[in-house]
Amino acid sequence: MNTDGATLAVMLSHVFTQFTNTHTYAVVIGAYSALLGLFIPSAGGKWIVEAPYVMQAANDLHYHLGWAVQIYNAAEALPNLINPFWMLPVLGILRLKARDVIGYTFVQFVVHVPLVLLLLWAFGMTLQYHAPLQP
């Protein structure tokens, strides 16, 4: 891969294109997006960062672009299923510590991560790729 003059988005799209195919794209991007959500908490801000290379990789792999966006949406919600933001005031109101609910969040993690990634993979196989009207 020639990286002369290439942006970070172009390089990342090449990385995702090399390490995924149409069968693994949903799972890899879903896991990546959920992990990135730990560092960039805003869904809109995260989409601005991710969209250029996630959509380019989907286009290069001939993966349905609508499902690529839905993979991002589901993966963005995944950390909220595991550790919801509303839990912070509830902990204060009930005078609990985070360690008191860590078992609950671990069970949510064990159940939701494989379930969401499996559903992303299954739904991603349902629609055919259509090239965008504008490049």
Side-chain angles (χ1 to χ4, degrees), residues 1-130:
M1 170 175 71
N2 184 6
T3 59
D4 294 338
T7 64
L8 182 59
V10 170
M11 288 188 275
L12 284 171
S13 72
H14 287 299
V15 168
F16 283 116
T17 304
Q18 289 175 353
F19 290 108
T20 62
N21 57 38
T22 55
H23 298 290
T24 60
Y25 176 82
V27 174
V28 171
I29 294 296
Y32 167 78
S33 187
L35 182 65
L36 189 62
L38 297 173
F39 303 103
I40 304 174
S42 167
K46 193 164 98 82
W47 181 243
I48 290 173
V49 171
E50 277 188 270
Y53 56 90
V54 167
M55 296 305 284
Q56 184 60 48
N59 203 25
D60 292 344
L61 292 170
H62 293 202
Y63 196 85
H64 192 275
L65 299 177
W67 274 122
V69 174
Q70 291 308 316
I71 290 167
Y72 166 79
N73 287 335
E76 173 61 33
L78 185 58
N80 295 328
L81 291 172
I82 296 167
N83 192 13
F85 184 72
W86 55 262
M87 193 180 296
L88 293 175
V90 170
L91 291 176
I93 292 168
L94 297 176
R95 299 180 190 259
L96 296 172
K97 303 265 189 243
R99 68 174 176 233
D100 297 329
V101 296
I102 197 70
Y104 166 79
T105 59
F106 181 73
V107 169
Q108 295 300 315
F109 175 79
V110 169
V111 171
H112 283 117
V113 169
L115 179 65
V116 168
L117 293 178
L118 176 70
L119 289 172
L120 289 176
W121 171 80
F123 289 145
M125 296 289 107
T126 60
L127 296 176
Q128 294 179 351
Y129 172 77
H130 295 286

